[in-house]
Amino acid sequence: GSVHVIIGCLRVQLSIVCVCVGGCGCVYVQSMSLIPLVQTITSWKAPIIWEGMFDSILYDQRHADKNSSVALTVFAVGRYLDAYLKTFLTSAEQHFMLGLPVTYYVFTDSPEKVPNITLASQRNIKIVQVEKHTRWQDISMMRMRTISETIESEIRHKFRYVFCFDVDQEFKGRFGSEALGDSVALLHAHYYKLPKARFTYDRNPKSKAFMETGDFYYHAAIFGGLWQNVKHLVDACYLGIIEDKLNNVEALWHDESHLNKYFWIHKPSRLLSPEYCWDQSIWDKRDILVTRLVWAPKHYETLRSGSSGQEIKIRTPM
């Protein structure tokens, strides 16, 4: 048999070959091997959250006692609303921060098309109309600016935490209070095992997102934290995008490139493992004991034939 435990900064698998019970009732392990699996802490002592690292009951009780509340932001513009929003919201109701007050802030250019979702107690949806843009740089700017404005005008008065999500995802398992922290970043599923030389940071010195090296490669599909810290992050990314635009520069992966630069300078206090945003096309799943959120299938024909004009760019290793 085998069991996963945390030793030092690694989650390891104890592979028990034989267990004997002595006359006194004591258990003796005759043979055992330690298999390093995943990193569980950063060099600056921030935890990397994996299955087996936390007591969900303890976390939930602690946040209930603190009256923690969460605002979730998601953008569903153009055909992205038709393709993904209903699945995103219905699956979130089954798995995201259950037991805590949650409001979904849905930013869309078509408020009338937002589906009616049955919500649990203390759960709400707020629909915010936004403009539709066709260029990635404009989409990135709009996203960061809109989150900042909504935090300032409303979220800061009602919620302690903010989590920002891409809409083309589906919750599959617990995504709970263990993910809450002061500043939360997500390890990209395609990069967390790769050497830094293969991280797709922006290498253009003319861009505000320029990086020669970094700690990890973070995925912009999810980020969060205390509302103050999320506002600081989106404001910094927005200013970087604006400055790049003025200089006729566009970062390689748009807001994700700027997010990686931000987290290189301002280290996150908590990192989410790829369990929290997994691409099911990745063949090596040995580290993934629980799938909490998955990339939704890319409906290329539906999205490309839509009026949004958004191109599809997948962030995978080059």
Side-chain angles (χ1 to χ4, degrees):
S2 65
V3 63
H4 293 266
V5 299
I6 306 299
I7 297 179
C9 64
L10 295 175
R11 184 183 68 187
V12 301
Q13 180 176 329
L14 300 181
S15 297
I16 302 173
V17 176
C18 181
V19 178
C20 299
V21 180
C24 63
C26 297
V27 177
Y28 299 93
V29 179
Q30 289 190 323
S31 179
M32 181 172 66
S33 63
L34 297 180
I35 308 172
L37 290 181
V38 292
Q39 183 179 349
T40 61
I41 195 167
T42 70
S43 61
W44 62 94
K45 307 305 181 186
I48 306 173
I49 307 301
W50 293 87
E51 175 66 13
M53 280 189 60
F54 60 89
D55 182 329
S56 59
I57 296 175
L58 184 64
Y59 266 97
D60 289 348
Q61 186 59 54
R62 182 181 302 161
H63 280 281
D65 292 344
K66 291 167 61 177
N67 296 316
S68 294
S69 54
V70 184
L72 182 157
T73 72
V74 64
F75 286 76
V77 178
R79 293 294 181 92
Y80 278 74
L81 188 156
D82 301 318
Y84 301 118
L85 183 60
K86 185 174 182 179
T87 296
F88 178 87
L89 291 174
T90 55
S91 64
E93 272 300 282
Q94 296 170 359
H95 301 292
F96 181 73
M97 303 293 168
L98 301 186
L100 293 180
V102 171
T103 291
Y104 304 101
Y105 284 82
V106 178
F107 301 100
T108 180
D109 60 321
S110 303
E112 73 283 354
K113 296 174 69 175
V114 173
N116 291 321
I117 303 295
T118 301
L119 301 173
S121 175
Q122 294 187 299
R123 318 272 286 199
N124 298 283
I125 292 180
K126 176 153 187 181
I127 302 168
V128 181
Q129 187 162 4
V130 295
E131 292 181 62
K132 179 162 51 181
H133 296 276
T134 57
R135 295 186 65 256
W136 272 105
Q137 199 173 45
D138 297 326
I139 294 167
S140 296
M141 285 194 302
M142 180 270 291
R143 180 189 187 197
M144 295 300 182
R145 184 184 68 243
T146 303
I147 292 172
S148 177
E149 291 173 350
T150 306
I151 290 174
E152 181 62 32
S153 64
E154 183 168 336
I155 290 174
R156 66 191 295 264
H157 304 292
K158 299 179 179 180
F159 299 94
R160 179 173 174 83
Y161 296 98
V162 184
F163 259 86
C164 306
F165 284 81
D166 283 353
V167 71
D168 53 343
Q169 306 179 102
E170 181 178 357
F171 292 88
K172 292 289 189 179
R174 174 189 168 91
F175 197 119
S177 60
E178 74 283 350
L180 297 175
D182 290 355
S183 177
V184 182
L186 167 72
L187 297 184
H188 198 297
H190 281 270
Y191 293 92
Y192 79 102
K193 283 188 170 184
L194 296 183
K196 290 182 182 181
R198 295 189 63 190
F199 292 175
T200 54
Y201 298 136
D202 190 286
R203 309 291 186 181
N204 180 3
K206 295 180 180 179
S207 173
K208 294 297 290 183
F210 169 69
M211 295 176 65
E212 293 185 86
T213 188
D215 303 305
F216 300 94
Y217 190 82
Y218 301 112
H219 195 173
I222 303 170
F223 57 91
L226 297 172
W227 69 259
Q228 299 94 325
N229 294 331
V230 175
K231 188 174 189 307
H232 192 266
L233 183 159
V234 296
D235 285 345
C237 290
Y238 175 70
L239 290 175
I241 297 167
I242 285 285
E243 187 163 338
D244 277 1
K245 188 173 185 179
L246 292 174
N247 293 323
N248 199 29
V249 176
E250 190 163 324
L252 178 63
W253 288 113
H254 317 292
D255 49 352
E256 183 166 277
S257 296
H258 290 278
L259 178 138
N260 270 275
K261 179 66 171 287
Y262 179 89
F263 280 134
W264 168 236
I265 299 169
H266 308 278
K267 309 296 189 194
S269 66
R270 182 171 296 253
L271 279 65
L272 302 182
S273 72
E275 295 173 354
Y276 288 83
C277 190
W278 184 247
D279 180 0
Q280 296 180 98
S281 71
I282 299 174
W283 66 270
D284 185 356
K285 302 176 174 65
R286 288 172 293 179
D287 297 337
I288 308 302
L289 304 182
V290 176
T291 304
R292 306 182 187 281
L293 183 82
V294 298
W295 299 19
K298 305 301 178 186
H299 306 299
Y300 292 106
E301 294 308 315
T302 299
L303 297 174
R304 285 174 175 160
S305 64
S307 58
S308 69
Q310 297 182 28
E311 299 175 14
I312 308 299
K313 295 184 75 174
I314 307 301
R315 305 172 185 90
T316 54
M318 294 182 175

